[in-house]
Amino acid sequence: MSYVSEVYAALEKKHPYEPEFLEAAKRVLDSIAPVVDANEDAYRKMCLLERITEPERIISFRVPWTDDAGVNHVNLGYRVQFNSAIGPYKGGLRFHPSVNQSILKFLGFEQIFKNSLTGLPIGGGKGGSDFDPHGKSDAEVMRFCQSFMTELFKYIGKDVDVPAGDIGVGGREVAYMYGQYKRITNLYEGVLTGKGLTFGGSLARTEATGYGLVYIVNEICKGAGKELAGKTVVISGSGNVAQYACQKAQQLGAKVVTVSDSNGYVYDPDGIKLDVVFDIKQKRRARIKEYVDAVPTAQYFEGEKPWGVKCDIALPCATQNEINGEAAKTLVENGCWLVAEGANMPSDADAVDTFLEKKILYMPGKAANAGGVAVSALEMSQNSERLSWTFEEVDGKLKDIMAGIYSKVSEAAARYGYENNFVVGANIAGFEKVATAMMAQGLV
Ligand code: NDP
Ligand code: 2IT
């Protein structure tokens, strides 16, 4: 058995109840097989693959909090500190009822290679809770965030582990957690990113994931001799990533015709009106179906995903496994020729196989959505030098980073004979830097 197969078989045996993590590990291990085969003896001797697939540490804890009616609750809290070979652990916090150790391990594992692809000195981590912020008052969210940080603060720090946002964690939650960290530790340091602009946040961090996604889409289009302007784009989700992907795609001349939430999707043949989405999601924290109240010419499809809508480009920006094999086939049959993932692992294994078989341009999340964590790393730099850069400066660096990722991914794919297979390219390019660092640092 090859070293890669042996390690994967052992993981399956050790973690049979972690399907999301096993899926993420399988995809990476399969992709990096050519690199591993070329270095098998050295990697085996140093247990490189056994180490890279096991988190350095997982912290789990209870989070007690009291709701507005005085009723007490207990949620689970986690931080997966996966890999610090190339920098402090870095990655978001997710608050969603589905959160469990498997999902956070898959996200933390992906984050290792994503962060490496940015070229910046950040290791991989992820955390969160099964707390559901939907329908909670500001005061409830504040108390929950304070309780969560009252435990988490022991394990993080500006040079140790720097969390940020993810699903269910945006500017409001980061601010509450930052306030509590500062209060408990008496430190004013960049321990979280995605902070407000008045207390160490970076301009363009809010927009970074969505903008970065569209910047790399633009690079892919250029590489294929095509243009983004005038193309029809389908987006899922209507949160942070979806909103700013929509904004940048529109600024670059594309027409975005859908957004969604967990209840259903909106189709607006005239192009999504982002001011309406901002009002529903940012101001009122309401459901996307209300879009059609403001725009009666649009349609709302309850309980459905937008993958049946005809488009050139699909940008899944909601959650993992939101495109299955059947949806992928429908997309391709309807003429979709580019898929770039704003979300982490939104395409399931069958969907990825379909995209690769049909040879459409498919950029996996660890490359396509790396703009968010990249600007988080720029926020860390600004915090360290106690200076703030202009929007244009940060946005310019983001553009360069996304163009750099596209080149690295394409180059690595071509070097191993997998031209235009961005899955192989992203995994190999992300892995190489981390593997070199881990081999150099010895058996730790
Ligand atoms: P938000 O919480 O701002 O938005 C999430 C969106 O996805 C909402 O519209 C939400 O709908 C929808 N959604 C969440 N879970 C599900 C589900 N199970 N089924 C259907 N729809 C769902 O999160 P973000 O925009 O920050 O994150 C979206 C994706 O992007 C995630 O995969 C995240 O990991 C990834 N990502 C985020 C980055 C960031 O900087 N924020 C960086 C890189 C990747 P509803 O409100 O109904 O739940
Ligand atoms: O998945 C991700 O890359 C994020 N949620 C952003 C992480 C970060 O540290 O900014």
Side-chain angles (χ1 to χ4, degrees), residues 94 96 107 114 126 134 165-168 205 209 237-242 260-263 281 287 317-319 342-344 369 372:
R94 177 176 291 190
H96 191 272
L107 290 163
K114 181 194 305 194
K126 199 85 188 190
H134 287 107
D166 194 79
I167 291 177
R205 174 62 187 91
T209 310
S238 50
N240 172 267
V241 179
S260 71
D261 63 20
S262 54
N263 293 108
K281 290 294 170 183
R287 307 312 301 161
C317 296
T319 194
N344 287 304
N369 69 40

Side-chain angles (χ1 to χ4, degrees), residues 353-426:
D353 288 345
T354 303
F355 296 147
L356 294 178
E357 266 164 35
K358 302 280 180 190
K359 296 211 178 325
I360 70 155
L361 297 162
Y362 165 63
M363 189 60 81
K366 63 171 69 68
N369 69 40
V373 76
V375 173
S376 277
L378 301 181
E379 184 171 326
M380 290 165 71
S381 302
Q382 294 169 76
N383 291 164
S384 294
E385 61 175 18
R386 302 211 187 281
L387 289 173
S388 300
W389 306 341
T390 63
F391 187 95
E392 289 67 29
E393 200 174 348
V394 179
D395 190 41
K397 287 184 198 294
L398 171 62
K399 247 182 235 168
D400 291 346
I401 289 168
M402 298 314 295
I405 293 175
Y406 174 72
S407 317
K408 278 182 223 173
V409 168
S410 316
E411 182 278 324
R415 183 153 41 92
Y416 282 91
Y418 289 85
E419 199 104 25
N420 279 333
N421 182 328
F422 302 138
V423 177
V424 169

Side-chain angles (χ1 to χ4, degrees), residues 101-150:
Q101 189 166 297
S102 172
I103 288 179
L104 295 180
K105 275 180 69 180
F106 121 62
L107 290 163
F109 186 68
E110 287 288 286
Q111 202 82 43
I112 303 170
F113 308 101
K114 181 194 305 194
N115 293 3
S116 166
L117 281 172
T118 67
L120 300 167
I122 39 179
K126 199 85 188 190
S129 172
D130 61 356
F131 173 74
D132 185 358
H134 287 107
K136 304 289 191 300
S137 70
D138 279 352
E140 287 172 331
V141 170
M142 181 181 76
R143 288 194 293 275
F144 177 81
C145 289
Q146 290 177 340
S147 181
F148 184 83
M149 187 51 84
T150 301

Side-chain angles (χ1 to χ4, degrees), residues 58-72:
I58 300 178
I59 298 134
S60 76
F61 49 94
R62 65 173 183 245
V63 188
W65 60 281
T66 306
D67 70 20
D68 290 345
V71 178
N72 297 325

